[in-house]
Amino acid sequence: MRQHKPIIFLLHVALIIFFALPAWSQNNNSADTEHRPSVPNNVFTQIQIRPIKSNEFNTSIQCHASGVDQGDWQNISFSELPQNQFFCLRAKINIHRETLSSNPSLLVGMLGSVDFRWDYKPLISNGSPAPSFNDEDPGTIKTLVRLSDDLLNDGEHMLSATISTFSVGKELDSIGYVLAIVDEPKLANVVLFVSMLSAFFIGVLVILFVIFQLVNWLYQAEKSYQMFSILCLSAALLLSVEQAKFWLDYPYNWHALRLSVIFVLTFITSFLLPMFYVAYFRLKQVKIWVTCSLISLIIISLLNLSYDITSVALFFAALCWSLIINILQVRESGRGKAASLFIIIGIGFIIFYPEYFVEFGFAVFFIAIVLTMLVALIKEMRQHKARSLKAERIKTELLRRNMQPHFLMNCLTQLMELIETNPQDALVLISALSQEFRQLTQQSEQDYVPLADEIALCRNHIQIMSIRYQKDYRLAVVGEVEGIWIPSAILHSLVENCFTHNKISSDRTFELKVRQAGKRVNLTLITPIENKTNHQGTGSGNHFIHAKLAELNQKQAEFASYESDDNWVSQISYVNINATAN
C-alpha cells in the first residue's frame, strides 16, 4: 500500500538480494582489504541539484558539461527531489565490474520529466523536461535502461540529468523513489512474482464477490452476505489500483489521480470492514456503530497527513472498530475468537512495521481476514440450511398434528350427527374447521404472528371443541395484547394439548395472562384438568414448542408447565419481535 512511493519497497528488496549482498560478500572475501576504494562500489553518491534560472537557455552546458563550477550546487538525497521546479542533477558512482551482475541496468523511479547523460554523453530521455508546466511533456514513473559494457569501466562515473517536475499535481512527501543499478532479468522476475501474487489475490476476491452476490440473490438474502461481497469487491479494486504501478508504466502526471482513487477505495474498505461485522453479528444500534466508525474515518481524512500515514491511520481505525465488535461478541456468545486474533496481529503489524504494512502487509492480512470471514459465513450458511430444514419439519408437524385422522374422524362423526339434529351448529362447525385449517396453513409459513391472531386461532379451536362436546368453553384474556408478536401456533398447541389429554365434561374457562416487561413478553395459560387421560405436560405439543423457540433462535426464551390444583399452568417467556422483524 505504499502510496506516494510506488516502487521503492520492491526495488529495495531486489537491490538488497541481487546487488548489495553480493557486492558486500565479494568485498569481504577479498584478500586485498587495504586497497578498497573509499567510495562504495556501484552505489550513487554525492547527489547534487541546482535550479536552472530563467535566463539560462543552454541547459546542456549548465547540467551536463564537465568542469562546471559546482559551488552553488546543493547536496540532497534522491528522495528529496524538489517539486514544481526545473533543475539539474548530478550523481557520482564508483563502478567495480566484478561485483556487477551480468545484466546491469540503470533504474530510476521518480515523478518528473528527465534527460539523462552518462559521463556527459546522451543516455536516455523520459518525457521532455521544460522550464514551465505548459512546455513540459510528462515522462513515465519509471526509467529502465540497459548499460552497455563500454559505459561500465572500473572507476568513477557521472550521471547527469535535466529534470522538470511541474506535473506532479498534489504536493507529495517525496517524488524520488529509487536510483540504482540493478540486474534487469532478476528484477523482472521479482516484479512478475509480485504481480502474479497480487493478481491471484484480486482474482480470489472477485470470485468471492460474484459467489456471494449469487448466494444473496438466489439462495438466501442476508445483509452479511451482501456486505461481505461488497467488501471483497472494494478490496479487489484497491489492490488493482495499488498494483497498477507494476503493471502500467503510466505518465507521472497520472500519479496524483491514482493516489486519490487509492484514498477513496481505502476509505470505503476501511468503513466496510467493521460494518461487515456489524451485519454478521446482527448488532443492535446499527446507526451508532455506523456513525462512530464514519466520524473517526472522516476525522483522519481531514488531518492533512501524507497518503501513506492516512492509509495506515484509516486501516488502523477500521481494525480497532472491528476488534471492539469481535471482543464484545466473544464475551457475549463466544464467537469471533479467530477474527479477533488476526485483527490483533494486524494492529501490531501496523504499530511496529507501518512501512511494510502499507507496502504488502495489507494484502496478506486482508486475505487472512477474508478467509476467517469466509469460514464463518460458510458455517452460518450451514446453520441456515439446518434451521430451514428444521423449520420445514416443524411446519409439517404443525399441520400433521392438527389434521390427524383421529381429530378429523371425531369432527366428521359429530358433524353427521349435527346435520340430523342441529343443522345450524353443523354449519358453525364446518365454518370453524375451515377457518382453523386456513389459519394454520397461513401461520405455518410465518415465524411470528400478532398475539391477537394467535388468540383468535385458539378461540376458534375452543369453539370447535365446544360444539363437539356440546359444552360452553371460553378463553379469557387478561392484559394488553397490542404490539406483541408471538412464535406462531405455540398457544394453539397448548390449547390443543388440553383437549388431547383431558375430557372436559363441564363448562370451563381458559385464562391467558399477558404481561410485558421491557422487551420481554410473559404469557401464562391456565387450562382446566378433568378426567385426565394422560399427563398434560408431555407429548408432541410440548416438543413442538421447544423446537419452535429453538428454531427462532430465542436463546433466552423460557417454557415451563406444571399442575396446580385443578388446572394446568403453562408459562412462556421470550423476547418480543415487532412487525419489521418479520
Side-chain angles (χ1 to χ4, degrees):
M1 278 297 299
R2 190 71 171 171
Q3 293 181 335
H4 70 272
K5 297 185 177 181
I7 54 178
I8 187 171
F9 174 76
L10 175 64
L11 296 176
H12 279 181
V13 172
L15 289 172
I16 290 173
I17 295 176
F18 302 123
F19 169 66
L21 290 181
W24 179 85
S25 176
Q26 290 188 28
N27 283 339
N28 278 275
N29 291 329
S30 173
D32 190 14
T33 56
E34 295 182 0
H35 296 88
R36 292 179 186 170
S38 58
V39 179
N41 290 332
N42 311 328
V43 176
F44 285 98
T45 60
Q46 301 181 39
I47 299 175
Q48 296 179 312
I49 62 169
R50 173 187 178 277
I52 300 176
K53 300 177 182 179
S54 58
N55 59 352
E56 295 175 344
F57 297 103
N58 196 333
T59 58
S60 177
I61 295 177
Q62 296 298 327
C63 298
H64 306 294
S66 61
V68 173
D69 181 14
Q70 294 184 314
D72 58 346
W73 289 62
Q74 175 187 358
N75 292 317
I76 64 166
S77 65
F78 193 68
S79 62
E80 297 173 334
L81 292 181
Q83 302 175 42
N84 298 312
Q85 287 193 27
F86 184 41
F87 57 95
C88 300
L89 178 142
R90 287 192 173 194
K92 295 181 179 179
I93 185 170
N94 189 65
I95 297 296
H96 188 55
R97 287 294 302 269
E98 293 182 2
T99 61
L100 285 177
S101 64
S102 58
N103 299 283
S105 298
L106 173 66
L107 175 65
V108 184
M110 60 175 292
L111 302 183
S113 300
V114 60
D115 177 25
F116 283 114
R117 298 198 180 187
W118 185 272
D119 290 337
Y120 315 112
K121 298 177 182 178
L123 181 63
I124 193 173
S125 294
N126 187 354
S128 298
S132 67
F133 172 83
N134 293 330
D135 296 330
E136 181 188 60
D137 179 21
T140 58
I141 62 170
K142 179 182 68 178
T143 301
L144 183 64
V145 56
R146 178 72 183 275
L147 297 175
S148 59
D149 292 341
D150 61 314
L151 298 178
L152 296 173
N153 298 321
D154 286 342
E156 188 176 81
H157 295 265
M158 173 71 74
L159 176 70
S160 58
T162 304
I163 302 175
S164 63
T165 58
F166 294 105
S167 300
V168 172
K170 298 181 179 180
E171 188 72 19
L172 304 178
D173 285 354
S174 175
I175 62 170
Y177 309 136
V178 62
L179 176 63
I181 293 179
V182 299
D183 187 311
E184 184 177 351
K186 291 182 179 179
L187 178 62
N189 289 335
V190 174
V191 173
L192 178 62
F193 173 76
V194 173
S195 299
M196 291 177 62
L197 189 62
S198 300
F200 172 75
F201 287 160
I202 292 168
V204 169
L205 292 171
V206 171
I207 291 173
L208 289 175
F209 162 74
V210 174
I211 289 175
F212 275 86
Q213 279 293 323
L214 293 175
V215 169
N216 181 74
W217 289 104
L218 301 179
Y219 174 67
Q220 183 168 355
E222 283 285 341
K223 290 182 180 179
S224 57
Y225 300 164
Q226 186 75 10
M227 191 67 68
F228 179 74
S229 175
I230 297 173
L231 179 61
C232 288
L233 177 62
S234 174
L237 292 174
L238 176 58
L239 288 176
S240 298
V241 177
E242 174 61 36
Q243 297 306 309
K245 59 179 174 276
F246 297 121
W247 303 335
L248 303 174
D249 199 16
Y250 56 84
Y252 87 88
N253 59 329
W254 290 12
H255 193 66
L257 175 62
R258 172 178 164 272
L259 293 181
S260 297
V261 174
I262 289 177
F263 165 74
V264 172
L265 292 173
T266 301
F267 186 97
I268 294 173
T269 305
S270 300
F271 175 70
L272 290 176
L273 182 60
M275 291 305 102
F276 163 75
Y277 289 112
V278 171
Y280 174 68
F281 293 121
R282 294 179 174 84
L283 298 184
K284 300 177 181 178
Q285 300 176 328
V286 175
K287 291 183 179 179
I288 295 178
W289 287 107
V290 171
T291 302
C292 292
S293 177
L294 198 57
I295 289 176
S296 65
L297 297 179
I298 291 174
I299 291 175
I300 292 172
S301 303
L302 296 177
L303 291 179
N304 198 28
L305 304 172
S306 68
Y307 279 97
D308 276 357
I309 296 177
T310 299
S311 295
V312 170
L314 288 174
F315 283 125
F316 183 80
L319 292 178
C320 287
W321 285 116
S322 300
L323 181 61
I324 291 172
I325 294 170
N326 278 274
I327 288 178
L328 290 176
Q329 286 301 308
V330 170
R331 294 181 59 184
E332 181 176 335
S333 62
R335 302 166 65 195
K337 293 180 181 178
S340 297
L341 177 61
F342 277 110
I343 292 171
I344 290 173
I345 294 174
I347 291 176
F349 205 146
I350 289 179
I351 293 175
F352 295 105
Y353 303 101
E355 295 272 335
Y356 297 112
F357 182 84
V358 295
E359 275 292 352
F360 72 94
F362 160 73
V364 176
F365 169 75
F366 189 83
I367 289 295
I369 287 290
V370 165
L371 290 178
T372 62
M373 294 177 181
L374 183 60
V375 171
L377 288 175
I378 291 175
K379 289 182 178 179
E380 185 179 83
M381 291 172 66
R382 292 178 61 184
Q383 292 172 355
H384 276 307
K385 183 177 180 180
R387 284 199 295 267
S388 297
L389 292 174
K390 189 174 183 180
E392 290 300 321
R393 288 196 298 267
I394 290 173
K395 293 173 184 177
T396 303
E397 173 65 16
L398 174 62
L399 293 175
R400 186 191 65 80
R401 288 179 58 251
N402 292 278
M403 298 180 70
Q404 55 185 298
H406 180 71
F407 174 75
L408 289 175
M409 286 176 61
N410 287 336
C411 289
L412 290 174
T413 300
Q414 185 67 30
L415 181 60
M416 291 173 62
E417 294 178 4
L418 290 175
I419 290 174
E420 295 180 358
T421 61
N422 193 342
Q424 187 63 36
D425 282 353
L427 291 175
V428 174
L429 180 58
I430 293 173
S431 176
L433 282 171
S434 174
Q435 179 66 20
E436 178 167 2
F437 290 144
R438 185 183 299 109
Q439 287 180 277
L440 284 172
T441 303
Q442 292 174 349
Q443 291 194 10
S444 68
E445 301 297 327
Q446 297 176 276
D447 293 332
Y448 293 88
V449 296
L451 180 56
D453 290 355
E454 181 75 3
I455 292 173
L457 178 62
C458 293
R459 283 178 169 156
N460 196 84
H461 188 78
I462 289 173
Q463 182 184 23
I464 293 172
M465 304 311 290
S466 296
I467 298 174
R468 274 187 57 188
Y469 295 122
Q470 295 296 296
K471 303 297 180 184
D472 185 15
Y473 305 137
R474 297 181 181 274
L475 174 60
V477 179
V478 179
E480 181 62 43
V481 302
E482 187 67 29
I484 297 178
W485 289 67
I486 184 173
S488 59
I490 60 174
L491 285 183
H492 177 271
S493 295
L494 293 173
V495 171
E496 189 269 344
N497 263 5
C498 174
F499 290 104
T500 300
H501 301 290
N502 290 279
K503 185 175 181 181
I504 306 174
S505 57
S506 61
D507 299 343
R508 298 296 295 268
T509 298
F510 297 65
E511 184 178 10
L512 175 64
K513 296 180 180 179
V514 182
R515 184 172 62 87
Q516 188 169 7
K519 295 182 179 180
R520 294 194 69 83
V521 175
N522 301 294
L523 303 177
T524 302
L525 180 65
I526 303 173
T527 57
I529 298 177
E530 284 188 22
N531 302 318
K532 290 185 294 181
T533 59
N534 202 345
H535 194 286
Q536 189 170 331
T538 61
S540 59
N542 283 19
H543 292 313
F544 168 78
I545 294 172
H546 285 293
K548 186 71 175 180
L549 293 173
E551 179 218 344
L552 298 178
N553 203 28
Q554 282 279 358
K555 296 181 179 180
Q556 299 178 349
E558 299 174 2
F559 172 59
S561 60
Y562 55 89
E563 186 176 343
S564 177
D565 298 328
D566 293 333
N567 296 298
W568 192 266
V569 179
S570 299
Q571 295 179 323
I572 305 173
S573 178
Y574 62 95
V575 177
N576 187 28
I577 304 295
N578 59 28
T580 58
N582 275 282

